Amino acid sequence: MIVLGIESSCDETGAAAYCSKRGLVAHALHSQVDLHAVYGGVVPEIASRDHLRRLLPLVKQVLSEANVPRPDAIAYTAGPGLVGALMVGGGVASGLGLAWNCPVIAVHHMEGHLLAPMLEDAPPPFPFLALLVSGGHTMLIEVTGLGQYALLGTTLDDAVGEAFDKTAKLLGLGYPGGPALARLAEAGDDERYALPRPMVTRPGYDFSFSGLKTAVMLEVQKAERVGDLAARRADFAASFQRAAVDTLVTRTLKAARNKCLDRIVVAGGVGANRLLRTDMARRFDGDVYYPRMEFCTDNAAMIALAGMLRAKQARPAGEVRAQPRWSLETLVPPHVCQRT
Ligand code: KG4
Ligand code: ZN
C-alpha cells in the first residue's frame, strides 16, 4: 500500500510517498521562506497562493520517484494551521482522491510532528514523553500509544519557536529567526547575560516564554543606549538560547521523572536546535529520539507516515476538512473511531 502525504499548513509545501513495505519512498519540499522574508513573517494569502502553484508539481515528482502511477490513499494536513493554506492541501487531496477513486485521510499536523521520529531506523517504542516545540506550540505530552495523548503542559503565552523568532527580530536577524539566532549563538558567550528560566521552579509542566523575551528586550535596549549592541549580538543570542533550552530540558526531565518514562521524543521545528538535542541527550538517563534535521521542520513525510498509521480512518474523497484550531488531545486511536 502507498500513501501519498500532502503538507500545506503554513509556509512549506510538501508531498511524500510512504509504502507499507518499503517505508518512505519519496519526499519533496518547497519552502516559501524567500516569499515571506520581505514581510518579516508569514503572509497567509501569499502562502495559500504559493501552495496552489507548487503542490501538483511536487505530487507528480514524488509519484514518479516512488515509481507508482497513483497512491492507494491520500493523507493531508487538515489542521491546525492557516485556514486558506490548509484548504489548498485539502482541496488538492480531495480532487486527486475523486480523480483516482482513492480515499483520503485527514491528519493532525502535530501528530505528524510527534510521529516523525518513527521515520528513522530506530523508532521509539510506546510509551514515551514527547516534547513538541514549534512556531505555534510548546507541549509536553505523555504518549501511551497511537492517538493516546495526555497533555501534561503547554505554554501560557508564546511558543518557544515564536520566542526564538521574536528575539531574532530584535537582534536584527531575518525571518525565520530561529535557525539564524542559533547560528549567531555559536560565536557568543552564553553566560554574558543572566536571563530568567521562566516557570522552572513552579509546580506542573507548563511553560512561559514572554518574560524571557522581555528580559532580552530590556538588556538589548540598555546595550543600544551605550552603543554596545553590535558587539554584543552574539552574546545575546547565546544567552537567550541557553535560557530557552535550559527551561525546555529542565521541565521535560521533571515530567519524565514523575511519569516514570525512560524515553523522550523531541520533535517540531525547534527540535532542529543543536543545543537542545545535545543537552537533552546529555542530561537524560534514558533514550532520546529525534527526527532527522529535515523532518523536524514542516514536511510531508511525517504526514504520509501518520496517514499510513491511520489508514483505517480513510474516507471516500469529497469533503475538504480544514481546522485551523484542533487540540491534539481530541484524537483517539484509529480503531476507536473512524473519524478524528
Ligand atoms: O514545526 P515548524 O517548521 O512549523 C510550525 O509548525 O510552527 O517550526 C518552525 C519554528 C520556527 O519558529 C523556527 O524559528 C523554529 O521552528 N526553528 C528553530 C530552529 N530551526 C527552526 N528554532 C531554534 N533553532 C533552530 N535550529
Ligand atoms: Zn509544524
Side-chain angles (χ1 to χ4, degrees):
M1 178 180 180
I2 295 268
V3 172
L4 170 69
I6 287 177
E7 160 62 32
S8 73
S9 64
C10 189
D11 59 347
E12 315 274 350
T13 319
Y18 194 94
C19 170
S20 51
K21 284 211 181 96
R22 294 178 289 151
L24 183 67
V25 281
H27 65 98
L29 196 70
H30 174 79
S31 172
Q32 303 180 355
V33 158
D34 292 345
L35 280 181
H36 301 289
V38 281
Y39 301 98
V42 179
V43 181
E45 178 65 23
I46 293 177
S48 310
R49 291 179 189 208
D50 203 54
H51 287 310
L52 202 50
R53 237 183 329 258
R54 303 288 177 177
L55 204 41
L56 284 171
L58 289 182
V59 166
K60 219 171 149 187
Q61 181 187 331
V62 297
L63 290 183
S64 143
E65 280 171 25
N67 208 13
V68 288
R70 67 189 58 178
D72 301 292
I74 305 171
Y76 69 97
T77 301
L82 302 169
V83 68
L86 292 168
M87 286 177 82
V88 173
V92 167
S94 220
L96 290 176
L98 285 174
W100 288 332
N101 193 24
C102 71
V104 297
I105 307 154
V107 170
H108 192 295
H109 180 78
M110 297 311 291
E111 182 173 62
H113 276 303
L114 192 147
L115 300 174
M118 295 187 179
L119 291 161
E120 305 308 326
D121 287 341
F126 298 117
F128 55 78
L129 175 69
L131 173 68
L132 289 189
V133 275
S134 70
H137 296 88
T138 309
M139 300 192 287
L140 269 174
I141 299 156
E142 185 176 6
V143 180
T144 41
L146 182 69
Q148 292 173 274
Y149 308 133
L151 183 68
L152 302 179
T154 185
T155 180
L156 303 179
D157 39 59
D158 290 352
V160 64
E162 199 180 346
F164 265 89
D165 293 338
K166 287 178 177 169
T167 305
K169 208 169 185 172
L170 200 67
L171 297 175
L173 301 169
Y175 162 86
L181 187 144
R183 271 194 304 277
L184 181 62
E186 283 170 25
D189 172 3
D190 64 7
E191 291 179 357
R192 178 69 182 74
Y193 296 100
L195 298 171
R197 270 63 172 160
M199 310 283 286
V200 286
T201 54
R202 295 261 191 99
Y205 308 104
D206 285 335
F207 299 93
S208 160
F209 290 99
S210 70
L212 172 59
K213 188 189 64 189
T214 309
V216 182
M217 192 179 73
L218 294 174
E219 291 289 348
V220 164
Q221 286 170 350
K222 252 193 250 170
E224 248 171 350
R225 276 199 296 276
V226 295
D228 206 17
L229 181 57
R232 294 281 168 219
R233 281 168 74 243
D235 295 343
F236 276 120
S239 302
F240 166 81
Q241 179 178 246
R242 166 59 64 196
V245 166
D246 269 358
T247 306
L248 291 173
V249 175
T250 304
R251 289 303 249 185
T252 307
L253 297 188
K254 179 183 163 191
R257 208 170 38 241
N258 291 351
K259 297 286 170 184
C260 300
L261 292 166
D262 56 9
R263 284 182 287 270
I264 290 175
V265 158
V266 180
V270 184
N273 185 275
R274 282 185 196 281
L275 185 68
L276 175 59
R277 295 167 86 98
T278 52
D279 262 31
M280 192 72 86
R282 187 174 54 78
R283 289 175 55 187
F284 185 51
D285 283 341
D287 295 319
V288 185
Y289 298 82
Y290 310 92
R292 73 194 82 164
M293 288 289 195
E294 64 179 319
F295 293 159
C296 280
T297 43
D298 292 349
N299 66 86
M302 65 186 195
I303 303 303
L305 169 68
M308 178 63 79
L309 295 174
R310 287 195 172 275
K312 277 194 180 137
Q313 285 171 269
R315 312 264 308 166
E319 72 174 327
V320 174
R321 190 159 165 205
Q323 212 167 312
R325 288 175 172 275
W326 185 3
S327 158
L328 192 62
E329 278 199 299
T330 61
L331 298 192
V332 292
H335 60 272
V336 171
C337 176
Q338 292 302 299
R339 295 205 54 174
T340 50

